[in-house]
Amino acid sequence: MKNKKKIYTLGPKGSFHHLSCVEYLGGQQEIEFCESFAGIYEAVQAGHLGWIALYNTLAGVVENHENEINKNFTLLDEMEYEVKLCVCSKPQIKLKDIVKLYSHEKAFGESKRFIAENFPNATLITCSSTSHAADKVSKENELKAGAICHAETASFYGLSIVSSIPNKRKNLTSFGLFAG
């Protein structure tokens, strides 16, 4: 049996990295999750493939990954993935009831107009990914918490979609597949 290379990306399950990688591969086979971008780079140095965000049309360069890849790795392919954000919470919670929002800093940046209009006094809590945010809300004892994430991510964590977050412009993130 031939030993296949695995693709390492930022997790956990339901992250935009995960969802875009599944779309790119046409399924979930051979995807492993890392807790950090450094973990992805280490896996690629060990002979595997990496899947990482490079650029977002609303938020700009993502962590300068493209420069790191061009300097130390080989970019094999790229794919644009449409980022569709929503606010999710535990079932029965209404948008107006949310006083604490969890998300990744990029998602907060991409949603700042929506947040200003709908959550002017909410506490914003930054997480390492939008899927970590959904996981935290699913485990939160306080019912008035919400997460900004992808609708599919909400379903992984048993959350309900409270509102979609409209964009004036198309929100695309370019993801890259790279090797050592």
Side-chain angles (χ1 to χ4, degrees):
M1 187 166 141
K2 194 172 180 180
N3 189 8
K4 286 186 174 181
K5 288 185 179 184
K6 293 180 180 176
I7 297 178
Y8 283 75
T9 195
L10 193 64
K13 189 175 190 173
S15 69
F16 279 101
H17 280 80
H18 173 230
L19 298 174
S20 63
C21 192
V22 168
E23 183 175 301
Y24 179 81
L25 293 173
Q28 298 202 33
Q29 68 279 7
E30 304 302 324
I31 298 172
E32 295 289 332
F33 298 116
C34 295
E35 289 293 317
S36 67
F37 293 120
I40 298 169
Y41 292 135
E42 287 172 21
V44 173
Q45 288 170 334
H48 297 285
L49 299 171
W51 182 258
I52 206 162
L54 304 172
Y55 184 83
N56 177 272
T57 55
L58 299 182
V61 173
V62 180
E63 306 284 328
N64 216 7
H65 295 306
E66 195 164 12
N67 286 342
E68 175 72 21
I69 291 168
N70 289 335
K71 190 170 127 186
N72 298 308
F73 303 99
T74 302
L75 186 61
L76 303 173
D77 202 5
E78 284 185 63
M79 180 190 91
E80 285 190 335
Y81 183 80
E82 187 170 5
V83 176
K84 296 178 182 175
L85 296 171
C86 72
V87 177
C88 64
S89 191
K90 290 185 178 174
Q92 314 300 316
I93 302 300
K94 306 269 188 268
L95 188 69
K96 65 180 176 46
D97 298 329
I98 296 172
V99 296
K100 192 188 304 184
L101 266 180
Y102 293 87
S103 198
H104 186 269
E105 65 185 335
K106 292 288 183 184
F108 281 141
E110 294 163 19
S111 307
K112 67 181 153 187
R113 178 178 291 154
F114 182 85
I115 293 168
E117 291 171 1
N118 294 281
F119 305 104
N121 300 312
T123 302
L124 305 183
I125 300 164
T126 303
C127 298
S128 58
S129 72
T130 55
S131 50
H132 276 117
D135 185 41
K136 283 187 182 262
V137 169
S138 73
K139 295 173 181 170
E140 176 78 53
N141 287 330
E142 180 183 329
L143 291 177
K144 295 183 176 190
I148 294 177
C149 61
H150 189 282
E152 193 172 341
T153 306
S155 68
F156 286 133
Y157 296 97
L159 300 173
S160 297
I161 298 168
V162 179
S163 175
S164 61
I165 299 176
N167 290 316
K168 297 254 185 227
R169 299 185 329 224
K170 202 165 197 173
N171 186 357
L172 299 172
T173 297
S174 175
F175 287 87
L177 179 69
F178 67 102

